[in-house]
């Protein structure tokens, strides 16, 4: 779970324009939150918090523009009310030891909250989510595998890949190279919206196998992709670790704009 505490001192700003901008950013975060993993919390005293431009409850009738007046009650009610008041991350970590804990607000310049715990807009929200995910996923190779769908939302790693990487540790240079290739493949796939998959634009050393080789090993390179049925894997990313060549075989599924990964490992062990 990711927890976000609405820090009262971070609601103090120097102008009405900053206040409105902060409210708009905070509302965007709430609208885009992950209902399953995000928990936004606040103290019950938030309504009487002094933003230096006025108390929060005063915004219902003045201070900010008419559109924000309508948004503010629902915005602050989106936070779960609780009794605890936090002024630093250690207090929050003590109460939520197994979670990833952050703070949200408008301006943290007067706070002691570490920068990587501050969530003020969509970009910092996304950065915080990624940091939380990586802290959970990069504990062991098993946790990496268990969190693969969140780490790489545009990729589908077939179950057979687990047996190909499970012997690696996170500190293994081979794993670090595998992670780098998967990360780049996922990032590029996220921008794939129309047309066929652009293997040149991917920016990695990759190519399809020759028609002759595909024909000779067709059964060995045909993998089941769930609801999308059996697919023939030909495209592959190439790299070397020392004198050992590695391959990552993938299949771009055009209808869903997702990429299936069917093999990751040494070239000699591919079998096709």
């Amino acid at each position: 779970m990711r927890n976000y505490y609405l820090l009262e001192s971070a609601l103090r700003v120097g102008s009405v324009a900053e206040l409105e901008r902060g409210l708009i950013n905070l509302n965007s975060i709430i609208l885009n939150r992950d209902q399953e993993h995000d928990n936004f919390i606040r103290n019950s005293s938030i309504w009487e918090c002094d933003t230096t431009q006025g108390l929060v409850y005063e915004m219902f009738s003045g201070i900010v523009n008419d559109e924000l007046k309508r948004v503010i009650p629902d915005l602050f009610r989106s936070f779960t009310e609780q009794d605890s008041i936090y002024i630093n991350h250690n207090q929050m970590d003590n109460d939520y030891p197994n979670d990833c804990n952050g703070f949200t607000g408008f301006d943290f310049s007067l706070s002691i909250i570490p920068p990587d715990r501050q969530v003020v807009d969509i970009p910092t929200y996304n950065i915080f989510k990624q940091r939380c995910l990586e802290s959970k996923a990069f504990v062991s190779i098993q946790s990496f595998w268990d969190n693969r769908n969140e780490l790489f939302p545009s990729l589908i790693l077939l179950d057979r890949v687990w047996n190909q990487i499970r012997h690696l540790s996170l500190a293994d240079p081979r794993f670090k190279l595998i992670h780098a290739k998967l990360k780049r493949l996922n990032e590029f796939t996220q921008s794939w919206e129309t047309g066929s998959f652009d293997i040149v634009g991917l920016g990695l050393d990759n190519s399809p196998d020759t028609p002759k080789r595909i024909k000779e090993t067709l059964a060995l390179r045909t993998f089941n992709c769930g609801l999308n049925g059996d697919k023939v894997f030909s495209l592959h990313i190439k790299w070397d670790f020392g004198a050992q060549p590695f391959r990552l075989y993938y299949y771009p599924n055009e209808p869903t704009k997702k990429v299936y990964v069917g093999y990751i490992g040494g070239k000699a062990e591919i079998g096709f």
Side-chain angles (χ1 to χ4, degrees), residues 97-115:
N98 299 317
D99 294 344
C100 191
N101 303 310
F103 293 77
T104 190
F106 308 152
D107 182 354
F108 284 85
S109 59
L110 299 178
S111 79
I112 58 172
I113 305 302

Side-chain angles (χ1 to χ4, degrees), residues 39 49 65 78 116 122 266:
N39 178 36
C49 175
N65 64 55
S78 297
D116 63 354
I122 291 296

Side-chain angles (χ1 to χ4, degrees), residues 130 133-135 137-138 140-141 143-145 147-148 150-153 155 157 161 165 168-188 204 237 239 246-248 261 264-265:
Q130 186 64 25
L133 174 57
E134 291 182 356
S135 68
F138 291 95
S140 66
I141 191 68
S143 62
F144 171 81
W145 182 254
N147 290 280
R148 65 193 184 280
E150 285 187 83
L151 284 168
F152 313 112
L155 307 182
L157 277 63
V161 172
I165 67 170
L168 299 172
S169 71
L170 300 186
D172 193 316
R174 293 172 295 177
F175 170 79
K176 292 181 179 180
L177 286 169
I178 289 170
H179 175 244
K181 307 302 179 185
L182 288 171
K183 186 175 181 180
R184 171 57 189 165
L185 182 58
N186 178 72
E187 289 173 348
F188 184 76
L204 295 173
I237 298 167
W239 72 95
F246 275 75
R247 298 291 184 266
L248 185 156
V261 177
I264 305 175

Side-chain angles (χ1 to χ4, degrees), residues 37-214:
H37 299 103
D38 288 337
N39 178 36
F40 286 82
I41 57 178
R42 62 169 174 81
N43 185 262
S44 58
S45 64
I46 199 67
W47 304 107
E48 297 180 352
C49 175
D50 187 355
T51 67
T52 67
Q53 303 305 313
L55 304 181
V56 169
Y57 74 81
E58 292 177 330
M59 298 179 197
F60 302 163
S61 58
I63 304 177
V64 297
N65 64 55
D66 290 341
E67 182 178 352
L68 284 174
K69 289 177 192 175
R70 294 189 294 270
V71 168
I72 288 169
D74 289 335
L75 170 60
F76 284 97
R77 290 190 187 106
S78 297
F79 288 75
T80 300
E81 186 175 304
Q82 49 114 61
D83 294 331
S84 299
I85 297 177
Y86 302 116
I87 61 172
N88 63 61
H89 62 286
N90 293 321
Q91 295 172 321
M92 200 170 175
D93 289 346
N94 286 335
D95 283 357
Y96 300 93
N98 299 317
D99 294 344
C100 191
N101 303 310
F103 293 77
T104 190
F106 308 152
D107 182 354
F108 284 85
S109 59
L110 299 178
S111 79
I112 58 172
I113 305 302
D116 63 354
R117 303 277 192 124
Q118 301 173 11
V119 177
V120 298
D121 51 23
I122 291 296
T124 52
Y125 169 69
N126 289 332
I127 291 171
F128 180 76
K129 285 199 305 179
Q130 186 64 25
R131 184 184 73 79
C132 291
L133 174 57
E134 291 182 356
S135 68
K136 179 176 65 171
F138 291 95
V139 174
S140 66
I141 191 68
Q142 181 67 63
S143 62
F144 171 81
W145 182 254
D146 292 342
N147 290 280
R148 65 193 184 280
N149 294 332
E150 285 187 83
L151 284 168
F152 313 112
S154 291
L155 307 182
I156 300 173
L157 277 63
L158 298 185
D159 289 343
R160 65 193 314 277
V161 172
W162 171 236
N163 288 327
Q164 297 154 11
I165 67 170
R166 65 188 302 172
H167 64 287
L168 299 172
S169 71
L170 300 186
D172 193 316
R174 293 172 295 177
F175 170 79
K176 292 181 179 180
L177 286 169
I178 289 170
H179 175 244
K181 307 302 179 185
L182 288 171
K183 186 175 181 180
R184 171 57 189 165
L185 182 58
N186 178 72
E187 289 173 348
F188 184 76
T189 304
Q190 287 179 320
S191 66
W192 180 26
E193 296 180 349
T194 59
S196 58
F197 191 81
D198 180 11
I199 66 172
V200 176
L202 176 59
L204 295 173
D205 183 7
N206 72 138
S207 63
D209 281 326
T210 64
K212 180 176 182 296
R213 187 180 176 196
I214 294 172

